[in-house]
Amino acid sequence: MQRYNSFSIVLHWCIALALLFMFASGLYMVNADISKADQYRLFQIHKASGVVVLWALILRIGTRILTKAPALPDSLNQQQVFKAKLGHLFLYAALVTMPLSGWLMVSASPFGLPTFVFFDWIKWPHIPGVARNKTIEVLANNVHWITATILATSIVGHISAVIWHKKTHNINLISRMWWNNK
């Protein structure tokens, strides 16, 4: 079975690990009983990490557009291929919507706090024209949380499909996104 190129594989797994951190930090920072100072620090780390994930995602999508994906196994029927493509479409749509809605939420926040990336070396700009707009902030916040639910569900479906195909049809799809084809 063919596999994705090494750069795509590295980006895939880096984004996957980053998403684990983003989900955990996002849930913790809004639900944990922590001091406002610790919550602020975690928000800053979460925002900066979101920017890094956005750039990794841009690279991943660019690489996906510029390189040919390995063919799906011939043993998959048309309905399975359609579901795989639809599932990936949902994943990519949610992956793009998450950081963009977070960026919009931060940009529209009444606090106007900056986002610094890479250990305070780079100040990430706010989206122009939305500063201190509570309506946009609330809308972006709702989109962020709804998309998080859709993304989490899509990821569970993605992983479940890989496991299901391995257990049911003995098709090792993980080998497409790993370095060892054995």
Side-chain angles (χ1 to χ4, degrees):
M1 183 179 297
Q2 295 178 337
R3 68 176 182 84
Y4 283 88
N5 66 64
S6 292
F7 188 61
S8 292
I9 293 170
V10 167
L11 286 170
H12 175 274
W13 292 109
C14 285
I15 291 169
L17 289 173
L19 288 175
L20 284 174
F21 170 77
M22 295 303 287
F23 279 117
S25 66
L27 289 170
Y28 186 76
M29 71 187 186
V30 297
N31 293 309
D33 186 20
I34 57 177
S35 70
K36 290 293 182 190
D38 286 342
Q39 188 181 40
Y40 170 80
R41 281 191 286 279
L42 193 51
F43 264 96
Q44 292 304 97
I45 292 168
H46 185 85
K47 292 187 314 178
S49 299
V51 171
V52 173
V53 170
L54 177 60
W55 279 107
L57 182 60
I58 290 168
L59 284 173
R60 176 71 179 100
I61 292 170
T63 302
R64 179 67 179 84
I65 290 169
L66 296 173
T67 61
K68 187 171 171 41
L72 287 167
D74 292 335
S75 54
L76 297 180
N77 63 40
Q78 283 185 319
Q79 184 181 23
Q80 291 169 329
V81 170
F82 174 76
K83 287 178 182 178
K85 290 182 179 185
L86 187 62
H88 279 95
L89 182 65
F90 271 106
L91 274 171
Y92 279 111
L95 284 167
V96 169
T97 303
M98 277 301 292
L100 293 180
S101 63
W103 184 15
L104 182 60
M105 181 174 27
V106 167
S107 297
S109 169
F111 302 113
L113 297 172
T115 299
F116 290 98
V117 185
F118 300 116
F119 309 104
D120 294 345
W121 293 340
I122 301 170
K123 183 178 175 185
W124 188 253
H126 285 171
I127 297 171
V130 298
R132 299 183 187 337
N133 186 320
K134 189 67 175 166
T135 302
I136 291 175
E137 182 199 25
V138 169
L139 177 65
N141 187 313
N142 289 334
V143 168
H144 202 64
W145 282 101
I146 291 166
T147 304
T149 304
I150 292 168
L151 181 56
T153 303
S154 297
I155 290 169
V156 168
H158 185 68
I159 294 168
S160 297
V162 170
I163 294 168
W164 183 80
H165 281 292
K166 178 64 177 162
K167 296 286 185 192
T168 306
H169 305 291
N170 200 30
I171 300 170
N172 186 10
L173 293 173
I174 196 76
S175 66
R176 292 163 41 92
M177 196 49 84
W178 200 253
W179 291 272
N180 185 354
N181 274 338
K182 293 179 183 178

